[in-house]
Every structure is written in structure tokens, then in C-alpha cells.
Amino acid sequence: MRENNGFRKFSISSVWLWIGVFALVPNLALFLVSFLDRGEVDYFIPAFTLDNYLRLLDPAFVNIFLKSMYLAGVSTLSCLLIGYPFAYLMAGAGKRIRPWLMLLVVIPFWTNSLIRTYALVIILKNQGLINKLMLSLGLAEGSFSLMYNDIAVFVGLTYTLLPFMILPLYASIEKLDRRLLDAAQDLGASPLRSFWHVTLPLTLPGIVAGCILVFLPALGTFYIPEILGGAKVMLLGSFIKNQFLVARDWPLGASASMIMTGILIFMALVYRLVNRQADGSAQAGQNAGAA
Amino acid sequence: MKTRFPYAYLWLVYAFLYIPILVVIIFSFNNARFSTDWHGFTLKWYELLFKNQPLIDAAYNSLKVAVCSASLATVMGSLAALCIHRYKFAGKKILHGCIYMLTISPDIVMGIALLIFFVSINIELGFTTLLIAHVTLAMPFVTLTILARLAAFNENLIEAARDLGASEVKSFLYVLLPLTAPAVAAGWLLSFTLSLDDVLISFFVTGPSFEILPLKIYSMVRLGVKPDINALSAIMFSLTLIIVILAQLLASPKKKYRQKD
């Protein structure tokens, strides 16, 4: 077809080289270390073991794992419940106002999550803004802190990760062919029914993509529970961090991180599946409309 | 009334997203160390920041890493977008898949994977390791930004250049690059922000000899609320604001070169 010139070879090989050396090899190394023994001097020694995975069955870790899944799960759910109607309204807004609405979501998306977490501290802390507000309204007495509990962590995760849910939802809702909804209505479907049978299945890829972008960072972003939950709320991210920096047990940290990689792969496969189904049914709907 | 209600919901969510940030900015001008009451306007917390030499050094290091990594990520990311958009080669789908997976891969996993890699090959943790990590972090975002723009372009422009005798390099430099330049610039800006804001990956791949701003902020924030952190947060937020607005303006495709439907 085209000449196989040097530039083509150069670009393909340099891209592959970078991804290969600095993304694939490190992840492979992480996978391998999760099967290695912990050394006396070195962080890991070349001796195969399944011990690191067996140690994850320890009740102390199981508790951390369950609590992490629970907090990440409810935060993801609340982002979805707040974000879906939001993205839907945004996609239905006028053409001229829409880029501005979008910009207002993109700004917090790119703002440092650490700074956004810190911003919450001012509001939730002892003598913080909510405290002051309730005092002046006569709803509370004295000073109190809303931090250092699960709810603070949940609020923090929802607050920092909400834009990561809204953007993929918006992308998939905007693509939705609204004529399909008109068709459903013409055929006598109630709004609820057409939402359940048309809108929801067609925007499922956006929902799954949003859940990936919220759930995994909710598990891994260790500073959010550390700052808002204090020492009481230990989640998966902090556990992994501690293995690498405090306990110096890299193989255990590596095996714990494999849980996140496993969830990532699982969710990516689910995404592929729902994406294909949504593409298929959107196509079918359009073909039926054309016929 | 009926149409007002949905917008009220939008503004409510925007309020949730923005009020905490606005509060930080307002309190960065508050003339009081601990109180959340208003004690008058002051710029002394900003002055305090600029007198804090270790912080200035860390900021300088961060800027150095951000500029270098954004530039390298933009080059690599553009090449990747070009390969995926234009060439057919073995493993192209896998490459595209890898790039997607990198954008959704949790930062903490990328951080520890790179830490293990760097320690295994015995590189000292510092500028070089941060640079490599941030390029790997940002490159997929550059690629996807450019690919989104390329998808809107008229393919015939390149074919025409090739037919007129332009070499592959020339058609890249004189046709593809100018057409995608705004997306490339947006990619650079976003990489710059990613590098400047990253905490999770940097936490693992930098050494004690090379301090950077986000990690400084992390250690400050852990000690509680202080007015100079408010000032620093306000500066970082303003910087992000400017960069994101610029990037948005650049990345949205103009009608001029759009493929006809």
C-alpha cells in the first residue's frame, strides 16, 4: 500500500517502546513481585510463594477490604445518583449555554483533588463553616467537628470524584438519539418505561465508564480518607501505601494492589460488553426508524 | 416555573462543587490565623508563601518537571495518535487498548509499579523518575485529545498532499500537524496540569532530594488548616482555571476543517 518509510517505523517503534518499557514492564514487575518473598535487606527476593495472597485472608485485611469496597461502592452510587440527572439536564440544555455548563464541570475535574479535599476540611472541621452556620441559626450549641468518621470520607469521595462521573455520563447521554424517545412515547410508553427500556440501556456504557472512573480512585486515593477520616478509617489505598513506605513489605502491598488491577480488568470487560450491546441496539433502533 | 426547576438542580450541584473552593479562596485573604470569622482583608498569607524558600524551591522543581514532562508527553502522545489514526500495523488494536487502559488505570497502581521498576533497574529516585512517570501518566490523555480532533477531519487533505508528492514526514509536518495544532497545544496544557497536580504517583517515584509542590502541600495539609495553605490552594486553583479554559478553547474543533457529513 504505502511505502514503508523510516518515519512510520520510527513513530510506531518509539510509541511501543515507551508504553512497553514504562507501562507494561512495570505492571508485569508488580505482578511478579506479588508472588515473591520479602527479603531481609532487599525489598523482595527471587523465591516464588503464594504467601502474600494467603496473608490477604487475614481478618484484619479482610475488614479493610470490605470497608473500602463499601465506602467506594456507596460513593460511586451517590455520584451516579447525583450525576445522572445532572448530565441529562446538561445534555438537554440550549446549544449556546452547553459549552459553559460543560466548562464548569471540567474545571473541578482537572483541579487537584488534594486541594479540593482540603477545601472540605475548612467546611467540616471543628469551628468550621457548617459548625458556625448551625450556631448562628440556633440549630446547635458549642463547637463540633464533622470530620474523622465514615460519613466525612463518603462526602469527600463523592465531592472530589463527582466530575469523573458526570463527564462520561454526559458524553453518552449527548449521543443518545432523542428521536428514539419520541418514538417510544408515540407508541404509548410512559416516561418511566421509555427511560427504563430506551434511555438506560443506551447510556449504560457511560454509566459503566463513570463507575470505573469513580470506584477505582475511591479505593486508591489514600489522602482523602487520611485527611477526612483520620487514623480511624483505613482503606485499601492507605494499606498499600503503608506496605510500601512504612512496613516495607512490598510483596504484600503488590498482592493487595492486584485486587485493584483485577477490578479494573473486570470493569473494562463489562464496559466492552455493554458498549457493544448499546451500539447494537442503537443501530437496530435507527434501522427500524429508517424502515 | 416548570422549566426553571431542572436548572435549579444544575445550580445546586454546581454550588456543591464550587462553594468549598470559593471558601478557601475567600479565607486566603482573611486577616486571622485560626478563626473562620472574617477579620478583614490581607495579603500577608501570600507574602508568607513567597518568603518560604523550601516551598519556592519545590515549586520550581514542580514547574521544571511539568514543562519537561508535558513537552515529552505531547511528542509521544502525538506520535501515538498519528500511528493509531493513520497507519495499519500489527498490534495496533492492542496499542490502542493499552492507551485506554492507562487512562483508567488507578494512579496508585501506576505509582508502585513504576517504583518497583525503578528500584529494580537501580535508578536514583528524583527528577528523571518523576519525568518518566509523568510522561507515562499524561501521554494517553494527549493521544485521546488528538484522536478526538482527528476524527472530525477530512481524510482527503492528507491524501491530496501525498498525491501532490509530499513525503510522509512532510505531510505530517505541513498538513496533519497544523490542522491538529490546537489539540496538540491543549494536550500540552493538560499534561502540564496533570504533572503539576499529581500526588499519588509522585509520592512513590520521587526521592527526598527532589521535593515537589504537590507533595509539600500533602505534608502541610495533613497538619491541618493554615491560612498559607489557603493562599497556596488559591494560586494552584487559579492556575488550573486558566489552563483548563485555554485548553477547552483550543480543543473544541472549529467548523473550518470539519469533514462534511
Side-chain angles (χ1 to χ4, degrees):
Chain A
M1 228 172 83
R2 289 185 188 99
E3 80 235 57
N4 230 357
N5 63 22
F7 183 69
R8 179 178 181 273
K9 270 189 190 157
F10 165 77
S11 27
I12 295 174
S13 52
S14 52
V15 169
W16 258 128
L17 200 68
W18 192 283
I19 300 263
V21 174
F22 299 125
L24 299 181
V25 169
N27 274 294
L28 196 68
L30 177 63
F31 180 67
L32 285 176
V33 167
S34 74
F35 290 104
L36 296 184
D37 229 339
R38 181 184 180 185
E40 291 281 317
V41 188
D42 292 320
Y43 293 118
F44 46 90
I45 48 173
F48 177 84
T49 175
L50 285 174
D51 194 44
N52 306 311
Y53 287 92
L54 293 175
R55 281 196 284 160
L56 294 183
L57 299 174
D58 183 87
F61 180 77
V62 171
N63 273 337
I64 292 172
F65 171 74
L66 290 178
K67 183 151 198 183
S68 309
M69 294 296 278
Y70 170 70
L71 271 174
V74 290
S75 308
T76 307
L77 193 67
S78 78
C79 283
L80 182 62
L81 292 178
I82 298 171
Y84 198 97
F86 183 88
Y88 197 88
L89 290 171
M90 211 165 99
K95 262 216 157 85
R96 287 180 61 191
I97 191 179
R98 228 183 297 161
W100 295 101
L101 295 176
M102 176 79 168
L103 184 67
L104 285 174
V105 180
V106 173
I107 290 165
F109 180 89
W110 287 102
T111 302
N112 195 334
S113 310
L114 177 62
I115 287 175
R116 297 182 63 224
T117 308
Y118 171 74
L120 277 186
V121 175
I122 298 194
I123 293 190
L124 298 177
K125 77 184 174 106
N126 190 354
Q127 300 272 333
L129 227 59
I130 291 184
N131 192 171
K132 284 278 160 77
L133 199 69
M134 304 233 334
L135 282 179
S136 60
L137 292 173
L139 293 170
E141 276 173 41
S143 59
F144 58 88
S145 164
L146 294 167
M147 302 213 315
Y148 310 120
N149 55 52
D150 288 0
I151 294 171
V153 176
F154 159 74
V155 170
L157 291 172
T158 305
Y159 171 69
T160 45
L161 298 169
L162 183 60
F164 294 78
M165 179 64 88
I166 293 175
L167 288 181
L169 281 177
Y170 174 73
S172 77
I173 294 171
E174 202 205 12
K175 269 199 305 191
L176 185 74
D177 189 346
R178 302 222 169 194
R179 286 174 306 177
L180 294 175
L181 295 177
D182 295 340
Q185 202 183 4
D186 289 347
L187 294 170
S190 66
L192 193 70
R193 211 175 137 86
S194 70
F195 174 78
W196 191 253
H197 289 283
V198 181
T199 313
L200 201 63
L202 289 179
T203 54
L204 206 53
I207 295 175
V208 177
C211 289
I212 296 177
L213 290 185
V214 172
F215 190 74
L216 287 165
L219 284 179
T221 312
F222 53 74
Y223 53 76
I224 299 175
E226 261 175 30
I227 292 168
L228 295 170
K232 271 192 283 181
V233 189
M234 164 86 115
L235 298 189
L236 188 57
S238 307
F239 177 83
I240 295 172
K241 185 196 98 180
N242 285 350
Q243 297 314 310
F244 275 84
L245 283 127
V246 184
R248 304 258 155 187
D249 192 343
W250 288 22
L252 184 63
S255 69
S257 82
M258 281 302 133
I259 294 173
M260 295 186 68
T261 305
I263 295 171
L264 171 70
I265 293 170
F266 172 74
M267 290 178 94
L269 289 175
V270 171
Y271 176 75
R272 250 174 80 117
L273 191 75
V274 295
N275 206 15
R276 272 193 199 156
Q277 273 177 353
D279 268 0
S281 45
Q283 210 68 48
Q286 271 152 11
N287 290 344
Chain B
M1 210 54 222
K2 204 179 160 197
T3 50
R4 284 277 162 80
F5 169 72
Y7 279 101
Y9 179 72
L10 285 182
W11 298 121
L12 198 71
V13 175
Y14 282 129
F16 174 60
L17 288 174
Y18 281 93
I19 283 175
I21 293 279
L22 290 178
V23 166
V24 171
I25 296 174
I26 291 168
F27 280 108
S28 75
F29 298 110
N30 189 12
N31 195 3
R33 181 166 278 279
F34 295 111
S35 174
T36 32
D37 294 322
W38 183 254
H39 288 264
F41 180 88
T42 179
L43 284 174
K44 70 177 174 193
W45 309 120
Y46 289 89
E47 277 169 38
L48 196 70
L49 278 187
F50 289 108
K51 280 186 203 140
N52 185 339
Q53 197 53 42
L55 204 66
I56 299 289
D57 292 341
Y60 174 73
N61 282 345
S62 278
L63 281 177
K64 203 162 76 175
V65 174
V67 169
C68 295
S69 72
S71 306
L72 199 51
T74 305
V75 172
M76 296 303 298
S78 310
L79 285 179
L82 173 79
C83 291
I84 290 169
H85 183 73
R86 183 136 175 74
Y87 300 137
K88 289 199 168 82
F89 55 94
K92 175 173 160 171
K93 274 201 166 159
I94 300 175
L95 183 70
H96 203 175
C98 284
I99 285 172
Y100 264 112
M101 288 299 268
L102 278 176
T103 59
I104 57 172
S105 162
D107 288 352
I108 187 171
V109 175
M110 199 188 271
I112 56 174
L114 281 167
L115 172 64
I116 289 176
F117 174 72
F118 291 139
V119 167
S120 305
I121 60 170
N122 241 328
I123 309 186
E124 198 199 341
L125 298 177
F127 175 77
T128 317
T129 52
L130 268 177
L131 179 72
I132 292 172
H134 286 187
V135 172
T136 313
L137 168 73
M139 173 187 162
F141 290 94
V142 177
T143 306
L144 295 183
T145 309
I146 296 175
L147 277 178
R149 182 145 178 129
L150 281 174
F153 279 141
N154 195 337
E155 214 33 53
N156 296 333
L157 288 172
I158 293 178
E159 293 306 326
R162 298 284 288 153
D163 287 346
L164 293 169
S167 69
E168 194 68 29
V169 183
K170 274 194 171 161
S171 69
F172 172 70
L173 284 178
Y174 296 115
V175 181
L176 203 62
L177 201 60
L179 288 181
T180 49
V184 174
W188 190 91
L189 289 170
L190 296 179
S191 308
F192 181 82
T193 325
L194 271 175
S195 169
L196 209 58
D197 283 346
D198 172 68
V199 177
L200 290 179
I201 299 178
S202 307
F203 186 81
F204 293 100
V205 300
T206 191
S209 59
F210 195 80
E211 288 207 275
I212 54 167
L213 199 55
L215 295 182
K216 272 272 185 203
I217 299 176
Y218 175 56
S219 55
M220 286 162 84
V221 164
R222 281 207 294 185
L223 299 176
V225 174
K226 272 163 87 193
D228 50 335
I229 312 178
N230 295 350
L232 187 54
S233 302
I235 294 175
M236 298 284 282
F237 176 72
S238 313
L239 198 63
T240 310
L241 189 75
I242 295 167
I243 291 175
V244 169
I245 291 174
L246 271 178
Q248 276 302 101
L249 289 175
L250 288 166
S252 52
K254 303 269 180 310
K255 287 195 180 104
K256 215 159 126 195
Y257 304 112
R258 265 202 151 156
Q259 194 156 11
K260 285 192 184 116
D261 291 322

